[in-house]
């Protein structure tokens, strides 16, 4: 499922954003990456760094005169952004849309922050300690942080923000089932007492769902004017039309080297991908997101612009209902797996921008089992498994595809053709997204389908929430007790290597037992930028955007 209606936009990039470097990079429980802002693609709730230099035209528009900062970066200017999906709500504890998260990422901040290597480090905190039994988490907070309204941030604000989520009905409320008590013993100390070791809680802390707001805002049922501590401040919003934020000149982490640099960022809402791309190529915008895979070659061939690709945006999978024929039979599932040419499917859907996978773990993360790869198409192996399933002449199944996602429709056609050549008849039925949610997801009335997950940098979501029977988004009915035990144990472990080993074992079981989720590809975020727009594009989660260390060279 997905958290916005944007057409989803290949290698993860090992770039460590300088804004995180200055946080005093103490090793900080880097193993505790387990969960974060969730979404089943449709449901719910950047490049390789570098300067982005390219030859050619002006690109972009607007802006004040910029002044030179250290390292060649410049202060000033207005970034004109052509956005794919309008900003929705402005309350980070409530809003699930990726479009909102992309702007709120720059306005709000969290106690801890995700890094490009998938570790987590202090951010609004300066340090972190855990008790020997891993149930008491103690954070020492920064003393030099002010909110956009001029108020100093203290532990009272952090406490109020967390208590708001704990006691309400918010995106992260369920995670507080493992919290016994929240405490603020002094102005710059914040404590979380857990009922048991629960590694996913720390990763959830690194998402907007637990961002920090002033205590007075935390008392509101819904925040309509965002006030955070981030490098950019909310300026204005025209619903469905535009969103504007301005540089926070009093930002606690500001420096001549790391920004923030850009004075004003104006996001114009341009939902039509063709209109958005043409406007960008005509120099109306400095930056656009949501480039359709079919348009990548146009951007690559244009002068004065650069294309940026960043994983992980979303993971697309083929879902098989393991409670109904024919996919209640493991050999039938394996037969379909061997029938599919994953590279051909990915190429047809994504025009060369995707990356095939056999694991739900984010590309480049320690959770990926390097020994497990997608099965290659092999018609002899298909027949072996059909024979073992007692279906030597093949089988038929309905294939329900959400029609609002063109890449999945294109993929389904190739999958069905591959399967037909192997004696498997997949009857494609294009259905609306609402029908998918009700019939496929809620009622589990399906044999085969496709869907996707968004922004899976956190393994607890990848391995537990979608694939464990107690997971909130479980629906393909595949159950394996050994797998369940492994991912349950992983939730209690804070050691990076130990948890990675458990996820590697879990991946082997997913693959060998042919779980109901047959992973197809990772899909990247695709961005276009004018040559004058400098700096890393994107954020470590692969979905949101961070503008602090970006600048305009004009």
């Amino acid at each position: 499922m997905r958290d916005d209606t944007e057409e989803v936009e290949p290698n993860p990039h090992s770039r460590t954003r300088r804004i995180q470097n200055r946080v005093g990079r103490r090793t900080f429980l880097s193993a505790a990456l387990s969960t974060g802002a969730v979404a089943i693609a449709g449901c719910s709730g950047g490049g390789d760094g570098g300067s982005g230099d390219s030859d050619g035209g002006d690109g972009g528009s607007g802006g004040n005169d910029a002044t030179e900062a250290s390292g060649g970066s410049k202060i000033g200017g207005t970034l004109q952004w052509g956005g794919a999906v309008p900003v929705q709500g402005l309350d980070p504890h409530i809003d699930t849309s990726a479009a909102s998260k992309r702007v709120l990422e720059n306005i709000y901040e969290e106690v801890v922050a995700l890094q490009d290597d998938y570790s987590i480090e202090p951010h609004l905190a300066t340090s972190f300690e855990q008790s020997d039994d891993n149930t008491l988490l103690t954070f020492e907070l920064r003393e030099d942080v002010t909110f956009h309204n001029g108020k100093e941030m203290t532990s009272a604000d952090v406490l109020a923000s967390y208590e708001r989520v704990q006691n309400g009905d918010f995106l992260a409320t369920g995670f507080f089932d493992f919290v016994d008590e929240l405490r603020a013993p002094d102005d710059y100390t914040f404590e979380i007492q857990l009922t048991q070791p629960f590694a996913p809680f720390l990763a959830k802390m690194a998402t907007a769902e637990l961002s920090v707001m002033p205590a007075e805002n935390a008392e509101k049922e819904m925040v309509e004017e965002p006030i955070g501590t981030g490098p950019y401040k909310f300026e204005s919003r025209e619903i469905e039309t535009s969103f504007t934020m301005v540089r926070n000149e009093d930002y606690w982490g500001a420096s001549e080297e790391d920004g923030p640099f850009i004075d004003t960022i104006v996001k114009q809402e341009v939902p039509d991908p063709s209109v958005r791309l043409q406007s960008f190529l005509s120099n109306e915008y400095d930056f656009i997101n949501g480039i359709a895979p079919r348009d990548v070659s146009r951007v690559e061939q244009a002068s004065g612009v650069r294309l940026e690709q960043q994983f992980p945006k979303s993971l697309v999978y083929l879902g098989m209902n393991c409670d109904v024929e024919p996919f209640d039979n493991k050999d039938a599932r394996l037969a379909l797996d061997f029938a599919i040419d994953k590279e051909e499917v990915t190429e047809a859907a994504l025009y060369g921008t995707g990356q095939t996978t056999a694991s739900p773990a984010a590309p480049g993360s320690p959770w990926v089992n390097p020994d497990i790869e997608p099965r290659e198409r092999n018609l002899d192996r298909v027949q072996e498994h059909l024979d073992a399933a007692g279906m030597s002449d093949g089988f038929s199944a309905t294939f329900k595809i959400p029609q609002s996602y063109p890449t999945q429709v294109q993929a389904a056609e190739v999958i069905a053709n591959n399967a037909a050549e192997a004696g498997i008849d997949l009857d494609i039925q294009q259905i609306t997204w609402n029908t998918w949610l009700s019939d496929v997801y809620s009622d589990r009335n399906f044999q085969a389908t496709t869907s996707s997950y968004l922004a899976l940098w956190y393994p607890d979501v990848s391995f537990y929430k979608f694939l464990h029977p107690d997971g909130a988004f479980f629906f393909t009915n595949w159950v394996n007790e050994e797998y369940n035990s492994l991912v349950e144990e992983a939730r209690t472990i804070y050691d990076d290597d130990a948890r990675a080993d458990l996820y590697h074992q879990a991946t082997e079981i997913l693959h060998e037992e042919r779980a109901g989720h047959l992973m197809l590809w990772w899909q990247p975020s695709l961005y276009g930028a004018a040559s004058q727009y400098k700096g890393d594009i994107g954020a470590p989660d692969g979905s949101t955007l961070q503008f602090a260390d970006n600048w305009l060279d004009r």
Side-chain angles (χ1 to χ4, degrees):
M1 298 158 125
R2 298 175 43 117
D3 68 354
D4 61 32
T5 56
E6 175 183 347
E7 173 75 8
V8 281
E9 306 170 357
N11 294 339
H13 305 290
S14 299
R15 54 180 176 76
T16 302
R17 298 178 67 89
R18 292 187 303 273
I19 188 173
Q20 302 297 354
N21 285 350
R22 63 172 174 259
V23 176
R25 303 178 63 80
R26 293 176 57 173
T27 301
F28 164 69
L29 214 58
S30 64
L33 284 177
S34 262
T35 190
V38 216
I40 282 185
C43 161
S44 157
D48 57 0
S51 67
D53 291 333
S54 64
D55 297 326
D58 274 343
S61 61
N64 318 348
D65 291 336
T67 57
E68 191 81 20
S70 64
S73 54
K74 295 181 179 180
I75 298 173
T78 296
L79 175 70
Q80 298 290 349
W81 169 13
V85 177
V87 172
Q88 306 297 313
L90 299 178
D91 190 323
H93 297 163
I94 295 174
D95 199 277
T96 64
S97 75
S100 295
K101 291 179 183 297
R102 289 187 186 108
V103 296
L104 295 179
E105 176 79 5
N106 300 276
I107 294 172
Y108 286 102
E109 295 181 300
E110 292 74 46
V111 175
V112 297
L114 176 68
Q115 308 299 300
D116 292 293
D117 63 358
Y118 297 102
S119 65
I120 296 177
E121 292 188 358
H123 190 68
L124 291 178
T126 59
S127 64
F128 163 87
E129 292 181 1
Q130 67 188 70
S131 60
D132 291 340
D133 64 358
N134 293 325
T135 62
L136 177 61
L137 314 179
T138 303
F139 302 86
E140 295 302 322
L141 304 177
R142 295 185 175 278
E143 300 185 20
D144 54 353
V145 178
T146 57
F147 289 104
H148 298 154
N149 60 4
K151 175 183 177 292
E152 182 187 13
M153 184 201 78
T154 69
S155 60
D157 300 294
V158 179
L159 179 64
S161 298
Y162 276 55
E163 286 183 336
R164 179 190 194 225
V165 176
Q166 180 184 37
N167 299 324
D169 185 15
F170 298 91
L171 296 172
T173 297
F175 282 77
F176 286 82
D177 291 345
F178 299 91
V179 173
D180 181 54
E181 187 179 6
L182 301 169
R183 298 188 289 264
D186 60 54
D187 283 350
Y188 303 106
T189 304
F190 178 59
E191 297 178 343
I192 301 171
Q193 180 67 61
L194 300 172
T195 57
Q196 64 186 58
F198 185 57
F201 193 85
L202 188 66
K204 178 62 72 173
M205 290 179 65
T207 73
E209 296 169 24
L210 284 177
S211 56
V212 178
M213 59 182 62
E216 56 270 25
N217 271 16
E219 296 175 358
K220 298 178 180 178
E221 185 174 334
M222 179 178 291
V223 173
E224 297 181 350
E225 183 172 337
I227 297 174
T229 60
Y232 286 90
K233 302 189 295 184
F234 171 71
E235 175 75 6
S236 65
R237 173 191 178 209
E238 296 293 331
I239 296 177
E240 302 293 323
T241 301
S242 67
F243 182 94
T244 302
M245 52 188 171
V246 297
R247 182 163 61 97
N248 177 13
E249 296 183 358
D250 298 318
Y251 181 50
W252 62 267
S255 75
E256 289 188 1
E257 180 182 3
D258 300 320
F261 300 112
I262 301 170
D263 281 341
T264 306
I265 298 172
V266 180
K267 180 176 186 274
Q268 301 288 346
E269 311 295 9
V270 193
D272 187 299
S274 297
V275 172
R276 184 170 63 253
L277 178 59
Q278 186 56 47
S279 298
F280 169 66
L281 295 177
S282 299
N283 300 330
E284 294 180 34
Y285 298 110
D286 301 295
F287 168 70
I288 60 170
N289 67 297
I291 294 175
R294 65 178 178 272
D295 292 326
V296 163
S297 61
R298 287 188 63 191
V299 179
E300 290 179 322
Q301 295 167 15
S303 63
V305 302
R306 58 179 165 131
L307 174 74
E308 293 284 353
Q309 306 178 76
Q310 187 188 22
F311 279 119
K313 167 63 173 179
S314 61
L315 172 62
V316 175
Y317 62 92
L318 190 161
M320 296 171 285
N321 191 339
C322 298
D323 262 359
V324 301
E325 295 181 349
F327 297 120
D328 58 348
N329 186 303
K330 180 179 79 170
D331 284 297
R333 301 194 299 271
L334 283 165
L336 180 58
D337 196 350
F338 276 111
I340 300 170
D341 186 329
K342 282 79 171 180
E343 293 289 349
E344 181 185 4
V345 170
T346 302
E347 177 66 27
L350 298 184
Y351 300 83
T353 64
Q355 176 177 308
T356 59
T357 183
S359 169
S365 74
W367 326 119
V368 175
N369 185 327
D371 299 324
I372 302 297
E373 297 181 351
R375 289 186 170 92
E376 294 185 0
R377 190 171 195 242
N378 186 321
L379 297 186
D380 291 337
R381 297 299 305 276
V382 172
Q383 192 60 51
E384 285 179 24
H385 286 290
L386 288 175
D387 292 342
M391 306 174 187
S392 296
D393 294 331
F395 60 80
S396 299
T398 58
F399 197 18
K400 296 183 177 181
I401 309 299
Q403 63 188 20
S404 51
Y405 300 112
T407 56
Q408 293 181 35
V409 173
Q410 291 167 250
E413 293 172 352
V414 177
I415 290 170
N417 289 337
N418 282 174
E421 294 172 4
I424 299 171
D425 178 23
L426 295 180
D427 177 20
I428 296 176
Q429 298 178 0
Q430 293 192 41
I431 58 177
T432 66
W433 181 243
N434 285 337
T435 300
W436 191 95
L437 287 172
S438 60
D439 290 7
V440 176
Y441 179 66
S442 297
D443 296 340
R444 304 184 186 182
N445 177 22
F446 75 102
Q447 290 174 293
T449 189
T450 60
S451 192
S452 59
Y453 313 145
L454 283 178
L456 295 185
W457 58 266
Y458 31 85
D460 187 67
V461 174
S462 306
F463 287 91
Y464 188 94
K465 191 153 284 189
F466 298 103
L467 292 161
H468 187 285
D470 293 336
F473 297 150
F474 177 83
F475 79 100
T476 58
N477 299 315
W478 176 79
V479 178
N480 181 285
E481 293 304 325
E482 184 181 1
Y483 174 88
N484 294 342
S485 296
L486 287 168
V487 297
E488 288 166 8
E489 183 181 356
R491 305 186 101 197
T492 69
I493 294 177
Y494 289 79
D495 178 79
D496 202 3
D497 293 337
R499 290 180 64 228
D501 180 62
L502 293 177
Y503 287 128
H504 292 175
Q505 294 179 54
T507 302
E508 291 180 13
I509 295 172
L510 288 174
H511 192 64
E512 295 305 318
E513 295 299 314
R514 189 52 282 144
H517 282 59
L518 196 168
M519 311 305 170
L520 294 174
W521 70 71
W522 281 99
Q523 193 157 331
S525 295
L526 297 174
Y527 309 115
S531 59
Q532 289 77 21
Y533 179 33
K534 306 296 186 179
D536 296 326
I537 294 177
D541 62 19
S543 179
T544 60
L545 295 166
Q546 294 175 348
F547 293 102
D549 58 358
N550 295 172
W551 74 96
L552 297 169
D553 187 15
R554 60 170 179 244

